[in-house]
Each structure stands twice: as structure tokens, then as C-alpha cells.
Amino acid sequence: MNVNDAILDPYLAGALLAAFSVLWIFLGWWWGRGQDALDDFMLAGRRVGLALGTATAMATWVTASTTMVAPQFAYELGVWGMIGYSLGSVGLILFAPMAARIRRLMPAGYTSGDFIRLRYGVWAWRVFLVISLVYSMGWLVSLAMAGGVLIHALSGLPYHLGMSVILGICVIYTLLGGLRAVIGTDFIQTVIIITGIVLLGFLTISRVGFEDMHATLAQERPELLNLLMPASLMFLFNNLLFGMGEIFHSNVWWSRAFAFGEGVGFKAYLLAGLFWTPIPIAAGFVALAAPVIGLNVPRSDMVGPMIAANLLGTAGAVLVFVVVFSALASSLDSLLAATSDLILEDIYRKHLNPGASQQHLRRAGSVVIVGLGLLTWLVSLPNIDTLGKILHFTGSFVASTIWPVAAGLYWRKTNPTGALLGMVAGSVLGLVVYEMIGWYTAALVGAVVSMVLTVGTTLAAPRDFDWQDLQEEHKA
Amino acid sequence: MRIFATTFFAVALTLPLAAQSDSAPVWAGELELNSSGGYYSLNWAAAPGSDVTSFYLEEAASPDFAGADRDERRQVYDGEDSGTTISGKADGTYYYRVHGRKDDGSRTPWSKTLGVTVRHHSLPRAFAFLITGALVFLATAVMILGGYRRERSKS
């Protein structure tokens, strides 16, 4: 990479990294004590309350994307890039009623894959698993890369070092603590993230000022202020649908719906969505200060940390480091845990070893987490593109699951073949437009195609379904 | 003859070194780029063997930098980094060149000229995507909220 003018001393950056690593691993061990049962490790005993529930939903959704990609999109696409990113909260808000219904329909459920298998059959389930795994890997890789980009942008330390350390730490404490540790650390990370981003936004306004920002942008980068900039208009609902697809299909959110106590899911997701909405706006706004202060941005996904470091000096660099590390850790651990659940339940137990005991699955879960971490590390090493583009590569896949999931939960007559075709065709056509038109169109096309096929086949050939078929007991 | 040979070899041996340390920076990637979003990244590197410590990047509206006067050229970057991201550009073609600077203040020749053509998507296309996205979102929201209301009225 090409930052040769970093602000944070490499030794200080290394010390911060080491200190947070020790703290997070200790918390993982502390919260993970005594979790031998699979329900404890995978679903925190299904007893998570409202405060922790809201915090974990919000902290998990405040990813490196929020703290680094929101500024990236503001820097590339201007005002709509910033506001459009905050539309990602719509997915969380709409998942609130869905979480309550999921808990009611499947009180003993484990994964989103369980739902698709029971609702639509084996082949739709297998397609869904492929989509889930593609998305999980895309998100894991973007998070791991964000760690490397962050450390490099702030301190000039090599990308590979930062990426490897942050990924390694998250694997270790997820391994030790399971979902209970993930949720517990989420609460701390939420407090750090909200405080840090609000402080950064306030300091940026006070140091730079709206008038200077507007004047500079109008002169040097006029399209960033243009509310009719075509790419940003196309980005708006693409990002909203991408967020919906991410949340509706991903086991990260379904595992929480199963883990929350009775009646908690609806309120937790609703509150998390509402509290999350202003965060990407604050984070994105910071990026627009770059041209005003004459800051050079070698790569657009570095703009957030670089601005903070430049405006606020070493203290700002440390603040950004703490906030982004917290955001990264809070999402990496959730994703590792949820993806390992999916692999364990839907691939290992259902396809390879149906007779596996709970203790065996508990041990296998650890192996899966380590394997995922290693694979993520290998794919992240080449650092192929910006974080936003890598994440949105998965857009067509996840958005194609919106209607199959939602219609499957609420419509008794949804056609299973239509749902399967919707996921396949939506993913493929979304990828085509990703290459031919732009990354900011893939999710939208994936969602449209999937909706048309799901609704069309259901109207033409409705198929009855008994909701009781979703009640599946797992062996103790 | 001896003087000629000595002079010849002295020049021949030192010329490559002089040429190496004074070589222009090189661009990473193509010399012609396209952008439909008004943003793009430019990356460059010092020539191999060069002792350049900083770079100066310039932008102009015409490829003939030598013909453009000072007012038509714009400094984009002056520092140690070897890349930059430019955004918010309107339709048009923008030309860039970069030279390196050493600690003693001397500079290398200019790099080759790189051209970027910005052509935004048409507004009809943009609005088509916007309206389609809005309709899909509304349909989804209506389905979910309708289902939620039915559930609540039953319970």
C-alpha cells in the first residue's frame, strides 16, 4: 500500500493493538467459562435480555463498514452516499417483527438454514447455504481487510500485520467464549463506538465548519454536493436492499432471534435500527472534510481514519483506532460464531454426521471457527480491492433472498420452486450488472428478479404449507 | 584515441546511473481510465533505483501540459504518498502527470500523461433504478407489516 506519511507512531499502534488484544481475549475467556452445552455456546442459553439484545444487534451492525465504508461512500458519492448508507437501518427495523415471528414459529430453531430447509425443501436449502457462505466469506474478508487498512492508514505498519493480528485475536476470543462472549463484548463495544463517533463528528464540525466544507467541495468536487448525481441515486435503494438482504438471510441475526428471551427480539431490533441510523451519517460526514484540510487520500476506504488522525493528532488517531477496532471485533466475532453455527448445523450435522452428539458438535464448532479464520486470512492477504466494492460483490446474492425469506415467513402458499429460482436468477443477474453497470446496482437487480419470480410463481401455482412443519426438535 | 576511449567509457558507465536516478515516476495500471461515478484512484511509483522522496501531481484539462498556462494546471498533490483518490468530478476528460523530488530539491522529468474520462450514467437510467428500488422496498415493507398486523390481531 502507499501511505508513507502516517500520523500514529508504529510503536504506539503496536502497543494499542497488544493492549486491546489482551483485554478482548480475557473477556472472551471470562464470559466463556462453564459453557459446555451446545445451546449455551451457540445461543447463550436463549435468555438474552433487552439491554444486551439491543446492544448486540446495534454493535454487530456497526461494522468496519459503518466506520470505514460509510466515509468511503461519502467521499466517492457525496451526500447521498452518506445518507444512503444510513438506510441500512431499514433492514434492522423491518427484521424486528420478523424476529418475533421467527421465535414464535421455531422456538427450538438454530439457524436460518433450518428455516429454509423446513419451509422450501432440500434444494432451496442448498442454494441458500451457498449464498450464505459466499456472503459470510465476503463480509469476513472485508472485516479482516479493514483491520489491515486501518492499521496501515494510521501508523504505516504493514497491512498484513494489522490484518493478521486483528483476525487472530477475534478468532481466539470467539473460540473461548462462544455467543455469550460475543454479546457481552458487544455491549462494551457499542458504548465505545457511539461515544467515539459522536465525539469525532462534533470535533470535525468545530474544526472545519460547514461553510468552508461547502465552499471547497463546490469548487473542487462539485458532484459530491449534487443531489442528482446518477451513481448516488442508483446507490440509494441498492444499499437499502443490500442491508435488508444481509439481515433477512444471515444467521448472524437469526441466531440472535433464537438467543433473545421471549418478547425481546422485536424491541431489540427496532431500538437497534433507530439508534444505528445516525451513526453512518456522522461517520460519513467526517470524510467530506478531507478536501477542506488538503488531506491526500491514497485509497478511499482509508479516508475515515486518516481524517480523524489529521484533525485530532495522535489523540484522534488513538480514538479512531479504538472505535474501529471495537467495531471490527464486534462484527468479526458475531460473524465467526454465526457462520460456524451454519456450517456445523446445516453442513456437518445434516449432511455428514447426523448422529453427532452435542459434545462432539461443541468440539467441532471450535474446529470450524479456526478453519474459517484461516480461510479468511488467506483470501485477505492479496488485498484486492476497496472494502465497499468487496462487500457489495455479495449484494446480488443476499438481496435475492429477501422475498424467499419474507414471503416464506408470512405467506402460507409461497411456491418453493419459485423461491429457489428467485435466489438463483437474482444472484446471477445481479452479478452481471455488478460487472456491466456498477457495484451500486447488483443488490437492487438481485432483489427485483427474486421478487418477480417468487410472487409470480406463487400467484400462478400456490402451494399450501403447514406452519407446524417448522417445529423441529433437536437431540439434547 | 586513449583520451577518447577513456571519456567514452566514463560516460557509458555513469550514464545509466544518471538516467536511473533521474527517471520519471511510472503509473501503476493503464494510461487511459474511465469512470461512471466521478471518482477514481491514481497510483504511481518512483522509477527503480530512484532516490526520490516526494511527488508532485498535476491536473489539466488538456493533454498538452506544456501548452497550458499556469492557470489551466492545478496542483493535486505534493507529498510522500504514492497514490490519491479523486472524487466529485463532472463529465469530462482530465489529464494527470507526476514528477518526483529528491532531498536536494532537484526533480525528475514528468511522467507520461494519464487521461481519465468521466461519463456519468444518464439521469433517466438513474431514476429508473431509483424508482424500481423504491417499489421493491415498499412492496416488501407492506408484506411484512401486513403480516405483523394480522398476527397481532389474531393474538
Side-chain angles (χ1 to χ4, degrees):
Chain A
M1 297 182 77
N2 43 23
V3 169
N4 299 312
D5 196 9
I7 197 156
L8 198 58
D9 178 75
Y11 291 104
L12 177 58
L16 279 172
L17 201 53
F20 269 86
S21 301
V22 168
L23 174 65
W24 252 242
I25 290 175
F26 170 75
L27 289 174
W29 167 79
W30 178 265
W31 268 304
R33 292 169 307 155
Q35 291 192 86
D36 295 321
L38 193 65
D39 259 24
D40 276 349
F41 188 76
M42 284 177 68
L43 300 175
R46 302 185 191 263
R47 289 189 301 271
V48 176
L50 181 60
L52 271 181
T54 304
T56 184
M58 196 176 135
T60 302
W61 202 224
V62 181
T63 64
S65 302
T66 318
T67 51
M68 291 175 72
V69 177
Q72 174 189 342
F73 288 166
Y75 192 73
E76 291 174 354
L77 299 173
V79 174
W80 282 136
M82 188 168 70
I83 293 173
Y85 202 88
S86 72
L87 292 180
S89 62
V90 172
L92 267 183
I93 293 169
L94 282 179
F95 196 69
M98 291 170 68
R101 182 155 175 86
I102 288 165
R103 191 75 160 80
R104 200 174 66 73
L105 288 178
M106 302 177 67
Y110 272 88
T111 68
S112 51
D114 284 343
F115 169 74
I116 294 292
R117 176 176 51 80
L118 294 167
R119 184 70 180 82
Y120 293 130
V122 169
W123 284 105
W125 172 49
R126 287 174 179 155
V127 168
F128 181 82
L129 285 181
V130 169
I131 289 173
S132 283
L133 289 172
V134 167
Y135 168 72
S136 297
M137 282 311 303
W139 194 7
L140 277 170
V141 168
S142 74
L143 290 173
M145 284 177 59
V149 169
L150 169 73
I151 301 292
H152 179 69
L154 291 179
S155 67
L157 283 174
Y159 160 81
H160 302 105
L161 176 65
M163 182 272 288
S164 302
V165 171
I166 287 183
L167 181 60
I169 295 312
C170 289
V171 167
I172 291 171
Y173 89 77
T174 306
L175 214 50
L176 289 173
L179 191 62
R180 185 171 287 147
V182 163
I183 291 176
T185 51
D186 275 354
F187 189 80
I188 299 171
Q189 288 151 356
T190 300
V191 173
I192 293 174
I193 289 162
I194 293 179
T195 309
I197 296 231
V198 167
L199 188 61
L200 198 58
F202 176 74
L203 286 169
T204 302
I205 293 172
S206 65
R207 293 279 179 102
V208 176
F210 282 117
E211 282 186 21
D212 284 344
M213 195 180 286
H214 186 272
T216 306
L217 291 175
Q219 185 184 1
E220 292 181 18
R221 299 175 190 241
E223 288 298 306
L224 293 187
L225 300 176
N226 181 9
L227 296 180
L228 291 180
M229 184 169 122
S232 60
L233 289 175
M234 294 159 85
F235 166 75
L236 269 180
F237 280 100
N238 184 80
N239 196 67
L240 183 152
L241 291 167
F242 177 46
M244 281 172 65
E246 286 187 275
I247 293 175
F248 284 18
H249 97 281
S250 173
N251 203 45
V252 169
W253 312 101
W254 283 67
S255 59
R256 277 165 176 73
F258 293 129
F260 292 164
E262 191 72 40
V264 169
F266 179 86
K267 290 177 208 160
Y269 278 106
L270 184 61
L271 286 172
L274 292 172
F275 283 135
W276 184 88
T277 302
I279 293 181
I281 293 179
F285 175 79
V286 164
L288 298 179
V292 184
I293 60 175
L295 176 71
N296 181 53
V297 180
R299 213 169 88 163
S300 50
D301 50 8
M302 294 182 182
V303 66
M306 293 185 80
I307 282 281
N310 192 281
L311 281 180
L312 307 171
T314 303
V318 171
L319 174 68
V320 164
F321 175 86
V322 169
V323 169
V324 179
F325 184 91
S326 300
L328 278 176
S330 71
S331 304
L332 256 174
D333 59 12
S334 302
L335 191 50
L336 280 170
T339 308
S340 79
D341 290 352
L342 198 69
I343 293 173
L344 205 60
E345 265 298 302
D346 290 67
I347 296 177
Y348 183 69
R349 196 170 78 83
K350 298 277 191 323
H351 284 86
L352 300 176
N353 191 358
S357 67
Q358 296 289 297
Q359 283 71 31
H360 177 81
L361 290 172
R362 173 74 176 84
R363 286 193 303 271
S366 301
V367 172
V368 170
I369 288 174
V370 172
L372 274 174
L374 196 57
L375 184 60
T376 303
W377 181 76
L378 285 169
V379 177
S380 303
L381 274 178
N383 191 15
I384 45 175
D385 214 326
T386 64
L387 305 178
K389 272 193 79 177
I390 287 176
L391 202 56
H392 274 257
F393 174 79
T394 68
S396 63
F397 292 92
V398 302
S400 75
T401 66
I402 292 173
W403 270 78
V405 168
L409 276 173
Y410 287 104
W411 289 355
R412 206 166 46 81
K413 294 179 186 285
T414 309
N415 187 303
T417 307
L420 187 157
L421 287 174
M423 287 191 282
V424 172
S427 301
V428 169
L429 290 171
L431 277 180
V432 169
V433 298
Y434 178 93
E435 285 301 322
M436 292 180 61
I437 301 178
W439 59 264
Y440 36 82
T441 58
L444 194 152
V445 168
V448 169
V449 168
S450 174
M451 182 179 87
V452 166
L453 283 169
T454 305
V455 173
T457 53
T458 299
L459 289 173
R463 296 265 296 274
D464 261 332
F465 180 76
D466 184 351
W467 297 119
Q468 293 300 315
D469 290 347
L470 290 175
Q471 313 265 348
E472 183 185 60
E473 291 297 325
H474 289 262
K475 284 190 291 190
Chain B
M1 183 63 184
R2 193 189 295 174
I3 294 171
F4 171 76
T6 307
T7 308
F8 174 79
F9 279 113
V11 169
L13 284 171
T14 55
L15 195 57
L17 289 172
Q20 265 189 329
S21 62
D22 283 343
S23 289
V26 291
W27 295 106
E30 306 289 326
L31 290 181
E32 287 181 16
L33 302 176
N34 292 293
S35 168
S36 58
Y39 63 89
Y40 42 89
S41 288
L42 304 176
N43 295 285
W44 57 85
S50 169
D51 54 350
V52 156
T53 54
S54 67
F55 302 93
Y56 180 89
L57 176 70
E58 197 169 70
E59 173 191 285
S62 103
D64 184 9
F65 281 84
D69 62 33
R70 200 81 194 144
D71 290 339
E72 292 172 338
R73 305 200 306 257
R74 186 176 78 89
Q75 174 194 315
V76 177
Y77 175 64
D78 186 357
E80 297 171 14
D81 293 339
S82 51
T84 191
T85 299
I86 294 167
S87 62
K89 290 298 209 183
D91 281 349
T93 303
Y94 305 89
Y95 298 93
Y96 298 91
R97 61 181 185 178
V98 61
H99 72 70
R101 257 203 301 268
K102 302 177 206 175
D103 282 338
D104 61 5
S106 60
R107 43 172 276 192
T108 69
W110 286 108
S111 67
K112 290 183 181 174
T113 298
L114 181 150
V116 182
T117 300
V118 174
R119 189 173 293 124
H120 288 272
H121 298 286
S122 67
L123 269 181
R125 171 188 269 189
F127 276 111
F129 273 86
L130 182 74
I131 291 167
T132 305
L135 290 173
V136 172
F137 159 64
L138 284 171
T140 313
V142 163
M143 185 205 13
I144 293 170
L145 296 175
Y148 174 65
R149 283 186 64 189
R150 279 195 302 276
E151 223 177 349
R152 284 198 65 179
S153 62
K154 277 182 197 169
S155 63

